[in-house]
Amino acid sequence: MRAFLSAGVSLLALAASGGASHAIAGGNEAATAAAPASPGRPFQVQPLATFNEPWAMTFLPGPGGAALVTEKKGRLVLWTQGRAIPIAGTPKVDYGGQGGLGDVVLHPNFARNGYVYLSFVEPGPGETRGAAVGRGRLVRTDAGATLDGFTTIWRQTPKVEGRGHYGHRLAFGPDGKLYISNGDRQKFDPAQDMTGTLGKVVRINDDGSVPRDNPWASRGGAAAQLWTVGHRNILGLAFNGLGQLWSHEMGPKGGDEFNLIERGTNYGYPVVSNGAHYDGRDIPDHPTRPQFNAPEITWNEVSPAGLMVYSGGLFPRWRGNAFLGGLSGQTLIRVAINGNGAREAERWPMNARIREVEQGTDGAIYVLEDERQGSGGRLLRLSPAR
């Protein structure tokens, strides 16, 4: 007997099912007490769990705070009540470098159709690889949970050699379309090549078909999928309450960016960047080429990852603000958005590489640490300081 996991289904029963759950890899099964807020940080931090190379997470609707968490080696888990329940039916991934299992998002009508979307890296001919996106229905079985009928609906093109800059962040828009970030795969020039998706933001229907109102739909082929071009490696993609799509981009040295993603525009990489190549070669800055869409914020060595626009009630002053993690920066950054502009408002040290930032159903802010020298990455709950 099967039942779709939706807002009306109790996940507590699933957590308690015999043999279906197991200890979270690497550590803390149960929540520990929240640490008092550090000086200068307006929140307290409560470690909840530890995962093996976590990459992304999304919360299921309804009470209980259940979430789906991806681990880069290919495991998708349902985290609920301090337990991690492995989900069967996920795709086989090409793991290595920056590649593996990536983002996870829910269909806008998940409560009705149960669809979960995953991004992942798959092999191609020879030593080539590329990102892909698929979907399946999250189903409860007597043995636990599975993604029923998982099917790949989109593939990054072309597949190339190397294991970097896949991007593959996902976001559903208020228009019901799925937006997918595509890194340049460390190949530079493809970001300006309209015959492929590398270095672009792609927009597709929820079944993988191409919307007729995409800016270059009339060209056909890969160009028909494109929403924006000229990106390096977008690792954060999120809509705000006004329907604006915001992103951050891991740029070259000194060139990390925060961008408003606007239909049919070119962001200039690798022709322009406010950073420089890692070998010291200069890249012209954005002001030298005004035809390209310039970033709202430029950072130096933040290495941004994960992006969320806050709308909850625990931090009412922060509604409408964006939050992103820093990998090399080991920080959590709050960005204030005002119309089409943005500015960094606050930056807090986290003493760990932050891979993912999400808002929970309880209004708290949840962050996933990156792998900590083989000891896993922790899930942290941030709540207002007492």
Side-chain angles (χ1 to χ4, degrees), residues 247-285:
S247 77
H248 60 63
E249 187 164 333
M250 188 176 290
K253 188 175 183 180
D256 297 331
E257 298 180 0
F258 189 76
N259 286 301
L260 175 60
I261 298 298
E262 298 176 290
R263 180 186 189 275
T265 59
N266 189 329
Y267 290 76
Y269 192 77
V271 181
V272 292
S273 171
N274 291 352
H277 291 294
Y278 284 99
D279 61 8
R281 289 178 296 129
D282 184 48
I283 305 174
D285 291 344

Side-chain angles (χ1 to χ4, degrees), residues 94-116:
D94 187 293
Y95 168 77
Q98 296 176 13
L101 186 58
D103 213 352
V104 53
V105 296
L106 306 180
H107 190 280
N109 292 321
F110 171 80
R112 178 176 56 83
N113 62 31
Y115 274 129
V116 173

Side-chain angles (χ1 to χ4, degrees), residues 90-183:
T90 57
K92 183 178 180 181
V93 306
D94 187 293
Y95 168 77
Q98 296 176 13
L101 186 58
D103 213 352
V104 53
V105 296
L106 306 180
H107 190 280
N109 292 321
F110 171 80
R112 178 176 56 83
N113 62 31
Y115 274 129
V116 173
Y117 290 72
L118 297 175
S119 68
F120 58 99
V121 174
E122 62 178 8
E127 290 298 314
T128 65
R129 300 162 189 87
V133 174
R135 71 177 185 179
R137 286 187 170 92
L138 184 60
V139 174
R140 178 184 174 180
T141 68
D142 294 338
T146 188
L147 278 189
D148 190 49
F150 187 87
T151 303
T152 299
I153 64 168
W154 176 86
R155 287 182 165 91
Q156 194 175 70
T157 56
K159 287 183 169 65
V160 296
E161 294 182 352
R163 294 183 181 271
H165 290 194
Y166 296 99
H168 66 18
R169 280 289 183 179
L170 309 176
F172 269 103
D175 56 3
K177 309 304 183 186
L178 179 62
Y179 295 74
I180 309 167
S181 73
N182 286 247

Side-chain angles (χ1 to χ4, degrees), residues 45-58:
V45 179
Q46 182 181 14
L48 299 177
T50 303
F51 296 94
N52 181 11
E53 291 189 82
W55 207 90
M57 69 183 300
T58 191

Side-chain angles (χ1 to χ4, degrees), residues 173-174 239-246 261:
F239 282 89
N240 66 5
L242 300 177
Q244 295 172 315
L245 179 57
W246 294 89
I261 298 298

